[in-house]
Amino acid sequence: MFDYTLKSEKSPEEAILSLEENLKSEGFGVLWNFDLTAKLQEKGQDFNTPFTVLEVCNPEEAQRVLSENLLVGYFLPCKIVVYKDGDETKIGMPKPTAMINMIHNEELQMIAKDIEERLINCIDQSV
């Protein structure tokens, strides 16, 4: 699977607050909290499912991977989504290792694996 997704007993709002705190402990900050539902509604679309995209970044890791290969910038910042699926709140992300495999660089794959494990830990602690 290209993603890592968990169900949460929390509301989307509670999950986002928890996620933001857990990301800080791993050196990640939220660059953008994008309420996709509100944006689609603003554009006249009938979309009512709560769906938020968090763009997250650890500046040291971003500098590290960009110094190795500028094409990695196509995958930055990392995205974590929080949404309602029926009555369930879900938290998920595309796996950095799935994305970085397209570049075919062993050093970048090791860095992506470390970042992925840290982001998974943040999600795990946020459910």
Short mmCIF file of all heavy atoms in Angstrom, two decimals, residues 32 34-47 49 51:
data_model
loop_
_atom_site.label_atom_id
_atom_site.label_comp_id
_atom_site.label_asym_id
_atom_site.label_seq_id
_atom_site.Cartn_x
_atom_site.Cartn_y
_atom_site.Cartn_z
N TRP A 32 0.74 24.29 6.75
CA TRP A 32 -0.56 24.70 6.22
C TRP A 32 -1.60 23.72 6.70
O TRP A 32 -1.43 22.50 6.59
CB TRP A 32 -0.50 24.72 4.70
CG TRP A 32 -1.65 25.35 4.00
CD1 TRP A 32 -2.46 26.33 4.46
CD2 TRP A 32 -2.10 25.04 2.68
NE1 TRP A 32 -3.39 26.66 3.49
CE2 TRP A 32 -3.20 25.88 2.39
CE3 TRP A 32 -1.68 24.14 1.71
CZ2 TRP A 32 -3.88 25.84 1.19
CZ3 TRP A 32 -2.36 24.11 0.50
CH2 TRP A 32 -3.44 24.96 0.25
N PHE A 34 -5.14 22.94 5.65
CA PHE A 34 -6.02 23.22 4.52
C PHE A 34 -7.35 22.49 4.69
O PHE A 34 -7.40 21.26 4.62
CB PHE A 34 -5.34 22.80 3.22
CG PHE A 34 -6.15 23.01 1.98
CD1 PHE A 34 -6.72 24.24 1.69
CD2 PHE A 34 -6.34 21.97 1.09
CE1 PHE A 34 -7.46 24.43 0.53
CE2 PHE A 34 -7.08 22.15 -0.06
CZ PHE A 34 -7.64 23.38 -0.34
N ASP A 35 -8.41 23.24 4.91
CA ASP A 35 -9.76 22.70 5.04
C ASP A 35 -10.32 22.52 3.63
O ASP A 35 -10.90 23.45 3.05
CB ASP A 35 -10.63 23.65 5.87
CG ASP A 35 -12.03 23.12 6.12
OD1 ASP A 35 -12.47 22.18 5.41
OD2 ASP A 35 -12.70 23.65 7.02
N LEU A 36 -10.12 21.34 3.08
CA LEU A 36 -10.54 21.05 1.70
C LEU A 36 -12.05 21.14 1.56
O LEU A 36 -12.56 21.64 0.54
CB LEU A 36 -10.04 19.67 1.27
CG LEU A 36 -10.33 19.26 -0.17
CD1 LEU A 36 -9.74 20.25 -1.16
CD2 LEU A 36 -9.81 17.87 -0.43
N THR A 37 -12.78 20.72 2.56
CA THR A 37 -14.25 20.78 2.53
C THR A 37 -14.72 22.21 2.34
O THR A 37 -15.54 22.50 1.46
CB THR A 37 -14.84 20.18 3.82
OG1 THR A 37 -14.33 18.86 3.99
CG2 THR A 37 -16.35 20.15 3.77
N ALA A 38 -14.20 23.12 3.15
CA ALA A 38 -14.60 24.53 3.07
C ALA A 38 -14.23 25.12 1.72
O ALA A 38 -15.01 25.89 1.14
CB ALA A 38 -13.95 25.34 4.20
N LYS A 39 -13.07 24.78 1.20
CA LYS A 39 -12.63 25.32 -0.09
C LYS A 39 -13.54 24.84 -1.22
O LYS A 39 -13.94 25.63 -2.09
CB LYS A 39 -11.18 24.94 -0.39
CG LYS A 39 -10.63 25.50 -1.68
CD LYS A 39 -10.78 27.00 -1.82
CE LYS A 39 -9.77 27.77 -1.04
NZ LYS A 39 -9.83 29.23 -1.26
N LEU A 40 -13.89 23.56 -1.21
CA LEU A 40 -14.79 23.04 -2.25
C LEU A 40 -16.16 23.69 -2.16
O LEU A 40 -16.77 24.05 -3.18
CB LEU A 40 -14.90 21.52 -2.17
CG LEU A 40 -13.64 20.75 -2.56
CD1 LEU A 40 -13.82 19.27 -2.29
CD2 LEU A 40 -13.27 20.99 -4.02
N GLN A 41 -16.65 23.86 -0.94
CA GLN A 41 -17.94 24.52 -0.76
C GLN A 41 -17.88 25.98 -1.22
O GLN A 41 -18.82 26.48 -1.85
CB GLN A 41 -18.39 24.42 0.70
CG GLN A 41 -18.77 23.01 1.10
CD GLN A 41 -19.06 22.86 2.58
OE1 GLN A 41 -18.83 23.75 3.38
NE2 GLN A 41 -19.58 21.69 2.95
N GLU A 42 -16.78 26.65 -0.93
CA GLU A 42 -16.59 28.03 -1.37
C GLU A 42 -16.66 28.13 -2.90
O GLU A 42 -17.11 29.13 -3.45
CB GLU A 42 -15.23 28.52 -0.87
CG GLU A 42 -14.82 29.90 -1.34
CD GLU A 42 -13.39 30.21 -0.94
OE1 GLU A 42 -13.04 30.03 0.24
OE2 GLU A 42 -12.62 30.63 -1.82
N LYS A 43 -16.21 27.07 -3.57
CA LYS A 43 -16.21 27.04 -5.03
C LYS A 43 -17.52 26.49 -5.60
O LYS A 43 -17.61 26.17 -6.78
CB LYS A 43 -15.03 26.21 -5.55
CG LYS A 43 -13.68 26.76 -5.14
CD LYS A 43 -13.45 28.15 -5.70
CE LYS A 43 -12.09 28.68 -5.29
NZ LYS A 43 -11.84 30.01 -5.80
N GLY A 44 -18.54 26.34 -4.72
CA GLY A 44 -19.85 25.93 -5.18
C GLY A 44 -20.06 24.43 -5.30
O GLY A 44 -21.06 23.99 -5.88
N GLN A 45 -19.16 23.64 -4.74
CA GLN A 45 -19.28 22.19 -4.82
C GLN A 45 -20.06 21.65 -3.62
O GLN A 45 -19.90 22.13 -2.51
CB GLN A 45 -17.91 21.53 -4.90
CG GLN A 45 -17.09 21.96 -6.10
CD GLN A 45 -17.80 21.70 -7.41
OE1 GLN A 45 -18.26 20.60 -7.68
NE2 GLN A 45 -17.93 22.74 -8.23
N ASP A 46 -20.87 20.66 -3.88
CA ASP A 46 -21.67 20.01 -2.83
C ASP A 46 -20.84 18.89 -2.21
O ASP A 46 -20.99 17.72 -2.56
CB ASP A 46 -22.97 19.47 -3.41
CG ASP A 46 -23.88 18.89 -2.34
OD1 ASP A 46 -23.73 19.26 -1.16
OD2 ASP A 46 -24.73 18.04 -2.69
N PHE A 47 -19.92 19.27 -1.34
CA PHE A 47 -19.04 18.31 -0.66
C PHE A 47 -19.11 18.61 0.82
O PHE A 47 -18.75 19.70 1.26
CB PHE A 47 -17.60 18.45 -1.17
CG PHE A 47 -16.66 17.41 -0.62
CD1 PHE A 47 -16.66 16.12 -1.12
CD2 PHE A 47 -15.79 17.72 0.41
CE1 PHE A 47 -15.80 15.16 -0.60
CE2 PHE A 47 -14.93 16.77 0.93
CZ PHE A 47 -14.93 15.49 0.42
N THR A 49 -18.14 16.19 3.40
CA THR A 49 -17.30 15.32 4.21
C THR A 49 -16.15 16.12 4.82
O THR A 49 -15.37 16.73 4.07
CB THR A 49 -16.73 14.17 3.35
OG1 THR A 49 -17.80 13.45 2.76
CG2 THR A 49 -15.87 13.24 4.18
N PHE A 51 -12.73 17.04 5.63
CA PHE A 51 -11.48 16.56 5.05
C PHE A 51 -10.46 17.68 5.14
O PHE A 51 -10.60 18.73 4.53
CB PHE A 51 -11.68 16.17 3.58
CG PHE A 51 -10.59 15.30 3.02
CD1 PHE A 51 -10.82 13.94 2.85
CD2 PHE A 51 -9.36 15.81 2.68
CE1 PHE A 51 -9.82 13.11 2.33
CE2 PHE A 51 -8.35 15.00 2.18
CZ PHE A 51 -8.59 13.65 1.99
#
